[in-house]
Amino acid sequence: MKGISKILALAAILAVAACEKPEENGGGQVNVSAPVLVSSDPADGTEDILGSALEVTLTFDKNVLCTTENQKNVTIDQGAVIDEIDAYMTEVTVSVSGLERGKTYTLTFPEGTLTDYSGNAAKQVSLSFSTRPLVNQQIAQKLVTADPLPAAERLYDYLLSIYGTSTLSGAMANVAWNTDEADWVGKYAGKYPAVAYFDYIHLASSPANWIDYSDIAPARDWWNAGGMIGASWHWNVPRSSSEKDPNNFTCDVENNEFSVTEALKEGTWQNEFMKESLEKISGYLKLLQDAGIPVIWRPLHEAAGNTYTYNTGAWFWWGADGAQAYKDLWIYVFNYMKDAGLKNLIWVWTSQTSSYTDIDQDFYPGDQYVDIIGRDTYNCTDASGMASQYEAITQTFTTKMAALSECGNVPDMAAQWSAGAKWLFFMPWYDSENDGTEGFAHEHADVEWWKASFASDAVITRDELPDDLFN
């Protein structure tokens, strides 16, 4: 029995050896079967890489290893940094950061850094790629609205004059139709924001004793005090044809039968409601126009939602049917308001782009329908990260000024500006719990945040706006 066991053991060893046996060439010399690179992503010589970070994947013809000790020998030049190397089966993934625009980088695995499972060493592997050079923006010099209100034209010309050198401060109304947040900032931070933002979120309820958008006093008073006016529109809709109570209307996607696709079909209940809403809000905006007040107008915002960032889709109904349906809706709204005679609007489209990897350009309605690109972002506490978002937007939408159209829990504007995030304007969201005291721990931007922002020479406050804007 022992003899049989020895024979079986010897057979197993010979079988393993046969699997590992190197081939011989015609002269009898042994050639070790080392790993060979099959492909890479990006491919060697790739140009036009976007962003400051990149994940490189190398694929070999067999399983490979890269020990912790060998990883120390892997290099990348031009000041870039290798953050992580992961070898799994036939693939080696390298995470690289610190990339700069307009440079060519070479990633190198020296000979012997990579081996197969038997220790056979791969030859040196080098991969080169280039990043896209920075593009100088060529900003459109005219509003997309033909024959605009003279005050709107003056305002846009002013925005053009400060873009890249200064940033306008702004504060959002508490819920809808007031300057509570802006007044709180002015009282405790020492200066008033340049722009007061409003929201037509309660359109379906107005006019009522608690909300009446036909009373333009809050906006007119701010304008007369030398401040700019901005407005958003959380477009609340009935969840179903049977829902009549405006208190139950919503702009969310969940349990909502109201869709863009149906709203754009003639004869549907959604289409009827859409037209009623547009007629109503156009009338309210016309009141501001009649008073000579231009509006930095930001409807249908954040359409892509998490479509690209987390692949979970839109959170507002106007983005839930996808990019094309959304663009059709934007253009419909734009044309409706143009036909209604509105000439006081400066149109802001909100991008969900936070980096080059989650670009949402498919949702962009087109240059002829947009004046300014906005970015809404929360909980990005790194100034360099905000600068990266600014770069991603300005290098994608090269003919439009970029603004931080909504934000919360982000670095103060002095820090952002120093990092290179040169937004046209910025607007922290209100805190509904704000008790009006100086020490209130604001969820998005407390008094100290405002004081630090106002300390920057780049930040424009209401008192610094030129008088001729309001003539």
Side-chain angles (χ1 to χ4, degrees):
M1 292 295 292
K2 289 182 178 180
I4 294 175
S5 297
K6 288 181 179 179
I7 291 171
L8 293 175
L10 179 60
I13 292 171
L14 291 173
V16 172
C19 292
E20 297 292 334
K21 182 178 179 181
E23 297 179 358
E24 295 183 358
N25 61 20
Q29 188 176 4
V30 174
N31 287 329
V32 176
S33 181
V36 175
L37 180 67
V38 175
S39 64
S40 67
D41 183 17
D44 186 37
T46 296
E47 300 177 347
D48 216 31
I49 296 292
L50 288 170
S52 60
L54 180 67
E55 190 170 272
V56 179
T57 301
L58 307 175
T59 303
F60 291 82
D61 64 345
K62 60 192 305 188
N63 296 342
V64 291
L65 296 171
C66 187
T67 65
T68 301
E69 190 64 29
N70 283 344
Q71 289 182 18
K72 298 176 182 178
N73 298 321
V74 182
T75 62
I76 189 168
D77 58 3
Q78 300 278 28
V81 177
I82 296 174
D83 297 315
E84 185 179 8
I85 300 174
D86 181 36
Y88 179 74
M89 304 294 284
T90 62
E91 291 188 348
V92 178
T93 303
V94 187
S95 298
V96 176
S97 63
L99 304 179
E100 297 179 8
R101 288 300 198 110
K103 288 188 175 182
T104 298
Y105 294 89
T106 300
L107 175 67
T108 302
F109 284 77
E111 184 172 355
T113 305
L114 297 166
T115 67
D116 64 13
Y117 290 178
S118 297
N120 297 316
K123 293 182 179 180
Q124 176 171 301
V125 174
S126 290
L127 171 69
S128 293
F129 58 88
S130 300
T131 54
R132 179 186 296 182
L134 281 171
V135 176
N136 291 325
Q137 284 192 288
Q138 301 294 322
I139 305 300
Q141 299 298 297
K142 298 291 184 181
L143 288 167
V144 294
T145 297
D147 189 25
L149 187 74
E153 194 167 30
R154 285 196 302 271
L155 175 53
Y156 188 71
D157 288 343
Y158 173 72
L159 297 179
L160 290 172
S161 73
I162 67 168
Y163 184 53
T165 62
S166 301
T167 179
L168 294 164
S169 53
M172 184 67 200
N174 187 335
V175 180
W177 201 234
N178 56 69
T179 57
D180 292 355
E181 189 85 359
D183 292 336
W184 174 76
V185 173
K187 182 177 181 179
Y188 295 115
K191 293 186 177 182
Y192 288 94
V195 193
Y197 287 88
F198 299 89
D199 195 328
Y200 287 93
I201 188 171
H202 299 301
L203 179 71
S205 296
S206 177
N209 59 1
W210 60 274
I211 185 71
D212 185 359
Y213 294 117
S214 67
D215 177 9
I216 67 169
R220 185 187 59 228
D221 291 349
W222 184 268
W223 176 259
N224 289 339
M228 297 177 186
I229 302 299
S232 299
W233 183 20
H234 282 85
W235 192 348
N236 286 336
V237 297
R239 296 180 188 272
S240 67
S241 59
S242 61
E243 181 58 73
K244 304 301 180 184
D245 184 357
N247 293 317
N248 295 327
F249 289 6
T250 184
C251 55
D252 295 336
V253 171
E254 292 185 21
N255 302 317
N256 194 351
E257 297 176 16
F258 198 100
S259 73
V260 175
T261 303
E262 291 302 308
L264 292 176
K265 290 180 182 177
E266 288 291 334
T268 65
W269 68 267
Q270 294 96 327
N271 180 262
E272 180 180 349
F273 181 86
M274 178 183 69
K275 290 179 179 178
E276 290 174 356
S277 294
L278 289 173
E279 181 180 9
K280 193 173 185 179
I281 197 168
S282 294
Y284 287 141
L285 290 169
K286 186 69 160 45
L287 294 175
L288 296 174
Q289 177 171 298
D290 292 343
I293 300 174
V295 179
I296 301 173
W297 174 234
R298 189 177 71 108
L300 303 171
H301 64 299
E302 301 174 10
N306 287 328
T307 299
Y308 302 100
T309 307
Y310 299 110
N311 298 315
T312 55
W315 50 68
F316 292 134
W317 65 263
W318 50 81
D321 285 359
Q324 188 57 54
Y326 169 77
K327 289 188 290 187
D328 291 343
L329 177 64
W330 179 283
I331 294 168
Y332 185 97
V333 171
F334 181 92
N335 287 330
Y336 186 101
M337 291 187 168
K338 178 186 69 175
D339 294 341
L342 286 170
K343 297 178 179 293
N344 63 329
L345 306 181
I346 297 176
W347 291 76
V348 180
W349 175 77
T350 307
S351 170
Q352 288 304 102
T353 301
S354 61
S355 70
Y356 288 108
T357 59
D358 61 9
I359 207 80
D360 64 347
Q361 197 169 8
D362 286 348
F363 280 79
Y364 183 54
D367 286 350
Q368 66 271 44
Y369 303 105
V370 174
D371 293 305
I372 296 168
I373 306 296
R375 166 64 178 140
D376 294 4
T377 191
Y378 288 81
N379 302 317
C380 180
T381 57
D382 178 31
S384 63
M386 296 300 296
S388 294
Q389 293 187 36
Y390 176 81
E391 180 186 295
I393 291 172
T394 55
Q395 293 297 299
T396 301
F397 305 98
T398 58
T399 65
K400 304 296 179 180
M401 294 179 282
L404 186 57
S405 47
E406 185 181 317
C407 64
N409 192 24
V410 296
D412 63 69
M413 296 315 299
Q416 288 195 48
W417 195 267
S418 296
K422 299 184 182 299
W423 307 106
L424 173 64
F425 62 78
F426 62 92
M427 189 272 288
W429 199 245
Y430 73 93
D431 190 329
S432 60
E433 302 300 320
N434 195 335
D435 60 8
T437 61
E438 180 176 5
F440 175 70
H442 201 292
E443 180 183 3
H444 305 300
D446 59 18
V447 169
E448 294 307 313
W449 186 95
W450 279 103
K451 288 181 177 179
S453 295
F454 285 163
S456 171
D457 291 337
V459 174
I460 296 175
T461 52
R462 190 177 73 177
D463 58 298
E464 297 172 314
L465 293 174
D467 292 339
D468 60 3
L469 287 177
F470 308 97
N471 294 335

